[in-house]
DNA sequence: GCCACAATACCCACATCTAGGGAATCTGGG
DNA sequence: CCCAGATTCCCTAGATGTGGGTATTGTGGC
């Protein structure tokens, strides 16, 4: 009779914490724990669950990509984003990709349970800091006034990852068999899309998503 | 009769997970949970514990600084570093500052319990990945052949934080009322000490420690 | 008092990145 | 087929960072 949750998070300890928080709840239980986005998609093919708790920072295929895949392949699946990060990029991206809410890991047990129940009931739960991020809006609203989500192409992600790995444009160009000018173009586009003004901003973006 | 642990970690969920892992252990319990290094030091002034589990990534005063403070003010205190990070810088730094072991958060309950008990018994526990990092040694061994720990001064940390915040040398200079040349000097020293060759490396270092 | 070191500042030379612009090719969807 | 977008490449020019130096001042420890 219990509502079944899937925890998608690289750490067993996090799953254990959630299990512990749910131990005395009669209506909720952790049915599965997966450690990556790939595992999650594979599991959903075989098993159903009422709610997925999805960490945004996952190795390789990050939470945003995973969210997109889940939303595409399992349109009705309820997903609550669950992360330590509350920056606008992640919150907005997850919501746009179909997450039903965004819960920060700093939350207490009470907030956690409320968020899970609200989401299961079909509502939208946002932690205060996530809500704040959404209200602030993208910091680069000037450059993108319609507020539309600006995604990165796979090539751009490839480039930004290598930038975060301390490689120069020349090295990236050599590794990808393209000209240095092309790499520069990609960096230019990346900086515009992400509204950062230096290498530091690109590195931060990539590292927050664990791409490097 | 139980051995008492203090969990120093920003997330309540982590503390809950540890409590859950210890629930059926007759000889271990979580006595306190603190969310920052400052809180930890304050608590230790008032209460004793057999072991501190110390996260390396803490806001403001990071785990390394906290470790140093604890080691200085409470020399006999047993501390087990407990983090998701296993890079050589953190592992070595924590051990040099006096940690009795280094446990990665990816560990299973079994490894966790083993690490805690080994440390309480006076032994040194290192997770496999941490052990690996130590064996690899600093990547900049050539530049620092005696393998001595290279710490950053407070001014250098101030600089590296601002670099990670996407500020240019000129902006940092203006903010700190020093010349741009001085900022360059600090960056130069930072890059040598940390053995990185670009802004990206500095940003990574700062972000891993949650300084930005 | 001396030594080590942090913090400050400057020199030169070179490497790399940033910021505009434009444009050709290819691919997938409507 | 046509269009939008991704990817590729080029140009100019200036800003910024990197990598060697050297040097002065102040502070704290021995």
């Amino acid at each position: 009779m219990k509502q079944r949750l899937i925890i998608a998070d690289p750490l067993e300890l996090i799953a254990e914490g959630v299990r512990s928080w749910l131990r005395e709840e009669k209506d909720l239980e952790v049915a599965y724990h997966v450690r990556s986005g790939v595992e999650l998609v594979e599991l959903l093919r075989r098993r159903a669950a009422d709610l997925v708790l999805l960490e945004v920072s996952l190795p390789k295929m990050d939470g945003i990509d995973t969210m997109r895949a889940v939303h595409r392949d399992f349109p009705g699946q309820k997903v609550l984003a669950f992360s330590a990060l509350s920056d606008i990029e992640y919150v907005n991206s997850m919501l746009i990709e179909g997450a039903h809410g965004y819960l920060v890991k700093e939350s207490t047990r009470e907030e956690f349970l409320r968020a899970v129940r609200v989401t299961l009931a079909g509502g939208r739960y946002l932690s205060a800091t996530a809500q704040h991020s959404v209200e602030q809006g993208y910091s680069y609203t000037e450059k993108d006034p319609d507020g539309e989500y600006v995604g990165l192409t796979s090539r751009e992600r490839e480039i930004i990852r290598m930038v975060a790995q301390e490689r120069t444009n020349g090295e990236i160009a050599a590794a990808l068999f393209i000209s240095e000018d092309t790499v520069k173009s990609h960096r230019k586009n990346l900086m515009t899309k992400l509204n950062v003004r230096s290498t530091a901003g690109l590195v931060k973006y990539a590292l927050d998503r664990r791409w490097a």
Side-chain angles (χ1 to χ4, degrees), chain A residues 21-196:
Chain A
W21 271 352
L22 297 184
R23 189 157 292 143
E24 290 169 23
E25 301 304 310
K26 294 187 177 61
D27 56 333
L28 300 170
E29 69 177 349
V30 175
Y32 302 102
H33 169 219
V34 293
R35 288 175 180 71
S36 69
V38 176
E39 274 184 66
L40 175 63
V41 172
E42 282 172 4
L43 176 63
L44 286 175
R45 270 192 236 294
R46 296 180 288 109
R47 309 283 183 211
D50 297 291
L51 178 64
V52 173
L53 281 169
L54 179 58
E55 166 62 70
V56 177
S57 294
L58 294 173
K60 289 168 188 164
M61 179 159 113
D62 68 56
I64 297 171
D65 289 339
T66 303
M67 187 66 240
R68 182 161 40 234
V70 169
H71 194 61
R72 184 188 61 225
D73 297 350
F74 314 95
Q77 180 65 55
K78 287 199 177 74
V79 180
L80 177 58
F82 186 46
S83 176
L85 306 166
S86 60
D87 297 287
I88 177 64
E89 285 86 12
Y90 311 119
V91 178
N92 240 11
S93 297
M94 289 299 279
L95 294 178
I96 285 163
E97 297 298 354
H100 294 72
Y102 200 106
L103 178 66
V104 297
K105 274 188 178 163
E106 282 78 5
S107 61
T108 60
R109 178 165 182 266
E110 287 64 39
E111 184 186 354
F112 177 86
L113 291 174
R114 201 180 328 129
V116 167
R117 293 211 169 92
V118 165
T119 311
L120 279 167
R124 156 163 300 202
Y125 185 89
L126 288 181
S127 291
T129 51
Q131 179 68 44
H132 184 71
S133 287
V134 170
E135 283 166 2
Q136 294 290 311
Y138 280 93
S139 54
Y140 51 95
T141 309
E142 307 95 319
K143 292 188 179 181
D144 193 22
D146 52 3
E148 196 183 341
Y149 169 60
V150 181
L152 303 187
T153 68
S154 58
R155 197 55 153 178
E156 284 169 343
R157 292 192 188 187
E158 213 168 356
I159 304 280
I160 196 176
R161 281 190 60 244
M162 297 177 84
V163 170
Q165 286 161 7
E166 302 182 55
R167 308 212 213 179
T168 65
N169 290 340
E171 289 168 347
I172 296 172
L176 299 180
F177 303 104
I178 58 180
S179 99
E180 199 172 325
D181 291 305
T182 305
V183 180
K184 286 183 186 179
S185 287
H186 285 305
R187 279 182 82 137
K188 215 184 318 184
N189 295 334
L190 280 165
M191 289 200 288
T192 304
K193 280 187 179 178
L194 304 177
N195 190 42
V196 300

